[in-house]
Amino acid sequence: MLVNNKHYRAIWTEGSTVCMINQNLLPFQFEIFYSNSIEDTCIAIISMITRGAGSIGAAGAYGMLQAIYASDKRDLQSDLLKAKKMLDSTRPTAANLFYGTHRVYEACKISEDFAISEAHAVADECVEHAIKIGEYGNELIKDGFRIETHCNAGWLALVDYGSALSPIYKAFENGKNIFVYVDETRPRSQGSRLTAWELFQQGIPHAIIPDNAGAHYLSKNEIDIIIVGADRIAANGDTANKIGTLEKAIAAKFYNIPFYVAAPLSTFDTNIPSGSEIPIEERSGDEVNYVSGLAKNRQYIEVLISNPGSKALNPAFDVTPAELISGIITEKGIIKPTKESIEKIFDI
């Protein structure tokens, strides 16, 4: 995607340095974070300097690449196993993280050069798959459609193009008249800060809405389709995504509005039978109690918005049951959220 007329990916490498767009500073400041070690990369994932399923997967693969470069090569496989454990422990929910680290670790059993090429392939294929998701998802979007999104599943979250936003970009590119309702996505506001920033950069008509306003617009027949991303999809189609997704799916079902999940196959975890077994990350309550942004004097500040002393709970994800999902948009086409369809696409 273009920022100030220059093409960027959300994450890339320059030698052994992993470069990431610092998503914590957007939309107020565009800055590149340079990770010079696997420890820096782990911190970037934990602190959400880089975030989103695909970008985390690329970060995991690139972190393994850093471990290869840092190893004295006397026991490279052991060094990579330690690196894998370190990276895998950063965040528990997104399947792409483990996909990226596992792929590089297994590749190193063949050769170091192959492992290096696989690290780059994880990111490159993520972009290729995002483009295909856009092409398939575009078929669902008719001219004049009003689309609701939740969280950020754009190019920031998937290295480039995105998952849930990729069909929107493709529809807009094809000249369709569309409008996007952007859920703010508390507590970290990835919708109002990141998705809105992406859509603004591309000139796509949109409006930010409060998280609890989705059902209101559905009830007024002002939303034609909801498309969200995913962080992990179980073998039966149950899907973990940013907290609040489940509420959108329930409301969409009530008002008979199509609810689609967009995700590459690397987000599926066929080893988990159902969503009840997906680990849900619990983050600091400070993310709920405090907000950060620009004051009227343009100074970046953090403000307490809750009752001082009250405890805040902060689950980062929830699980949407497969029966609430109209379909899953993948790089191999749109599939039904069923065990049979998922087994077929994986040739299980």
Side-chain angles (χ1 to χ4, degrees):
M1 291 294 168
L2 295 177
V3 179
N4 298 323
N5 294 317
K6 180 179 178 180
H7 177 261
Y8 287 91
R9 285 186 171 185
I11 181 169
W12 68 96
T13 60
E14 294 176 1
S16 62
T17 298
V18 181
C19 311
M20 315 170 193
I21 293 174
N22 190 335
Q23 298 189 38
N24 286 333
L25 299 180
L26 291 172
F28 312 113
Q29 184 178 347
F30 184 82
E31 181 179 285
I32 309 303
F33 175 81
Y34 296 96
S35 167
N36 295 310
S37 67
I38 185 175
E39 290 81 10
D40 287 346
T41 298
C42 287
I43 291 170
I45 296 171
I46 293 169
S47 65
M48 296 176 71
I49 286 172
T50 193
R51 49 145 297 282
S55 293
I56 290 176
Y62 286 152
M64 295 291 282
L65 182 67
Q66 289 176 310
I68 292 173
Y69 289 142
S71 174
D72 61 15
K73 307 301 192 294
R74 286 180 295 184
D75 193 349
L76 179 58
Q77 204 66 38
S78 177
D79 290 341
L80 278 191
L81 182 59
K82 292 177 184 176
K84 184 178 185 302
K85 290 179 179 179
M86 185 187 306
L87 289 158
D88 287 352
S89 68
T90 55
R91 299 193 69 188
T93 303
N96 297 69
L97 172 62
F98 316 119
Y99 170 84
T101 59
H102 177 76
R103 187 165 163 181
V104 177
Y105 177 74
E106 291 298 315
C108 200
K109 293 178 180 178
I110 298 174
S111 74
E112 180 182 331
D113 288 342
F114 183 50
I116 292 172
S117 68
E118 283 291 273
H120 293 292
V122 168
D124 292 341
E125 290 172 15
C126 187
V127 177
E128 294 169 10
H129 297 161
I131 293 172
K132 296 299 292 184
I133 287 171
E135 293 171 353
Y136 286 117
N138 170 54
E139 298 173 6
L140 299 170
I141 300 174
K142 298 178 181 179
D143 188 48
F145 257 30
R146 297 151 303 177
I147 308 152
E148 184 178 1
T149 68
H150 189 67
C151 197
N152 172 259
W155 69 274
L156 291 168
L158 220 77
V159 184
D160 211 344
Y161 292 94
S163 54
L165 292 193
S166 189
I168 293 172
Y169 290 139
K170 190 64 177 177
F172 185 73
E173 178 186 315
N174 287 353
K176 294 179 182 177
N177 177 30
I178 58 174
F179 186 87
V180 185
Y181 287 91
V182 181
D183 288 346
E184 61 180 341
T185 322
R186 284 279 296 148
R188 292 185 63 91
S189 302
Q190 295 102 321
S192 60
R193 295 178 68 138
L194 304 180
T195 294
W197 179 78
E198 286 195 34
L199 295 174
F200 183 83
Q201 294 291 316
Q202 300 302 312
I204 297 176
H206 67 281
I208 299 164
I209 62 173
D211 281 346
N212 51 9
H216 166 73
Y217 288 105
L218 286 166
S219 72
K220 295 177 66 178
N221 296 316
E222 293 188 17
I223 294 170
D224 299 293
I225 190 173
I226 297 176
I227 308 177
V228 301
D231 287 85
R232 191 183 302 207
I233 301 174
N236 69 340
D238 291 350
T239 297
N241 192 51
K242 184 55 60 182
I243 191 72
T245 302
L246 174 58
E247 294 178 350
K248 312 303 173 189
I250 293 170
K253 188 74 170 181
F254 182 84
Y255 288 107
N256 198 30
I257 298 298
F259 181 93
Y260 282 89
V261 170
L265 296 184
S266 54
T267 302
F268 287 74
D269 186 350
T270 56
N271 294 316
I272 290 183
S274 71
S276 63
E277 297 186 38
I278 297 176
I280 299 300
E281 178 182 6
E282 291 278 345
R283 295 185 63 83
S284 170
D286 284 349
E287 293 181 348
V288 176
N289 289 327
Y290 290 84
V291 295
S292 58
L294 291 186
K296 287 186 177 180
N297 62 3
R298 307 299 293 175
Q299 292 296 310
Y300 191 80
I301 60 173
E302 189 173 71
V303 179
L304 176 67
I305 60 170
S306 304
N307 177 61
S310 289
K311 180 182 180 180
L313 302 178
N314 188 16
F317 305 93
D318 56 27
V319 176
T320 299
E323 55 264 32
L324 297 180
I325 299 170
S326 304
I328 304 174
I329 312 166
T330 77
E331 69 269 25
K332 290 189 176 182
I334 302 172
I335 66 171
K336 294 180 179 179
T338 64
K339 185 174 184 290
E340 294 73 24
S341 296
I342 292 171
E343 287 179 346
K344 183 176 180 181
I345 206 168
F346 279 97
D347 296 321
I348 297 174

